Amino acid sequence: MGIWFTEKQTEHFGITMKINRSLHSEQTDFQKLDMVETQEWGNMLLLDDMVMTTEKDEFVYHEMVAHIPLFTHPNPEKILIVGGGDGGVIREVLKHSEVKKATLVDIDGKVIEYSKKYLPSIAGKLDDRRVEVKVGDGFMHIAEAENQYDVILVDSTEPVGPAVNLFTKGFYAGISKALKEDGLFVAQSDNPWFKAELIAQVQKDVKEIFPITRLYTANIPTYPSGMWCFTLGSKKYDPLEADSSRFPDIETNYYTKELHKAAFVLPKFVADLTK
C-alpha cells in the first residue's frame, strides 16, 4: 500500500496522497516543517501538516497572487511580499519589468532554506539582484513601514500559528499605511466552503479601510476544497477597469489577460460573502 499522508482539512474531511519518501522533517522555532516527495504532485512543502505548495500545481497560486495586482497597478516598482518563503510569488513578481525592488519578509528562515534545496523550480529567483530577503516578522515589518510600497502581497499560511495576526483589521490598516497613496495589496483569503465566515470578515475589514475591495478565486487542487479566494484592497486602481489589451505578454501557465477580469466573476454563494 505504501505511505499515505492525509491533510485533515476539517474535522470530517481530508485530502490524501501517496508519499514516496520524506526529504526533511523539522520542528522549527515557529512550526512543523516537512518536505516530502509525492507520487502525484512532486515535491511538497508541509507546514504544521498543511499543504503549502507542490511542484505540480504551485503555478496557480503564485501567478494569481502576483499578476492580478501587478497588472492592475500601472507602475509597480517597489513590492513587498509578506511570507512566501518558498519563493514562488517572488518568481512571478520578477516577470514584471517595472519592478525595481522586491522585498520578502518571512518569519521562518527554514522555509527559505529548504525551499531552495528541495523546490528549486519555485525558489530559484530568491537570489536575484532585485530581491531582498529578510527573516523576520512580517506583521512588525508592516507596522514600521510608511508610504513605502506600490504593491504588498500577503502570502501567508492559514490563520493559525504565526499567521494569525495576518488576518486582522489592524494588519490591513498597517498595510494601508505602508502603501503609497496609490498602492494596493492582495492577500490569500482561504476557501469559501470551509472558511466562509473568515472570508466575510476579511471583506468587511478591508472595505472599512480601502475604497476599492474585490474578491477573486482560482482553482488549486491541493488546497482545501480546491476553490481558493484572494482579497484585493486598493486605494485608487480597480482591477476591473484595467485595460488588459495593454498588458505585456509574460510566460504563465494559469493566468491570462482574459482571466484577469474573469477571476472576479463569483458564484453566488461566494459573492454573498462580499456583501
Side-chain angles (χ1 to χ4, degrees), residues 34-139:
D34 288 279
M35 285 284 187
V36 296
E37 179 189 283
T38 73
Q39 184 71 33
E40 186 68 35
W41 302 101
N43 288 357
M44 175 184 289
L45 168 64
L46 304 168
L47 295 177
D48 289 333
D49 294 326
M50 294 182 292
V51 176
M52 293 295 109
T53 195
T54 84
E55 289 180 307
K56 187 174 180 178
D57 72 347
E58 55 85 11
F59 62 86
V60 182
Y61 177 87
H62 295 133
E63 290 180 13
M64 293 300 281
V65 169
H67 300 316
I68 296 281
L70 266 68
F71 277 128
T72 297
H73 196 291
N75 192 30
E77 294 184 347
K78 193 171 182 181
I79 315 299
L80 172 67
I81 298 94
V82 176
D86 58 67
V89 173
I90 281 285
R91 183 195 64 203
E92 298 303 316
V93 163
L94 294 181
K95 293 178 180 179
H96 293 256
S97 60
E98 306 95 328
V99 173
K100 293 181 178 179
K101 183 176 181 181
T103 301
L104 183 143
V105 182
D106 195 301
I107 199 169
D108 196 339
K110 294 292 186 179
V111 174
I112 300 168
E113 177 184 349
Y114 290 108
S115 293
K116 287 181 175 181
K117 183 174 182 178
Y118 294 112
L119 299 170
S121 65
I122 303 174
K125 293 294 184 178
L126 285 172
D127 295 323
D128 188 277
R129 61 176 179 79
R130 289 185 285 168
V131 177
E132 178 183 17
V133 177
K134 295 184 176 181
V135 177
D137 187 335
F139 184 92

Side-chain angles (χ1 to χ4, degrees), residues 209-257:
I209 299 168
F210 288 86
I212 300 169
T213 302
R214 303 289 187 191
L215 188 72
Y216 63 97
T217 66
N219 175 255
I220 307 172
T222 56
Y223 283 8
S225 85
M227 177 183 280
W228 209 249
C229 289
F230 306 85
T231 297
L232 182 147
S234 177
K235 295 182 177 183
K236 182 176 180 179
Y237 305 112
D238 189 338
L240 298 183
E241 296 178 0
D243 183 2
S244 59
S245 67
R246 300 178 65 183
F247 296 171
D249 290 327
I250 59 173
E251 183 180 349
T252 61
N253 289 299
Y254 189 89
Y255 175 89
T256 65
K257 295 177 182 181

Side-chain angles (χ1 to χ4, degrees), residues 154-166:
V154 184
D155 179 8
S156 68
T157 62
E158 294 182 53
V160 295
V164 168
N165 289 336
L166 305 186

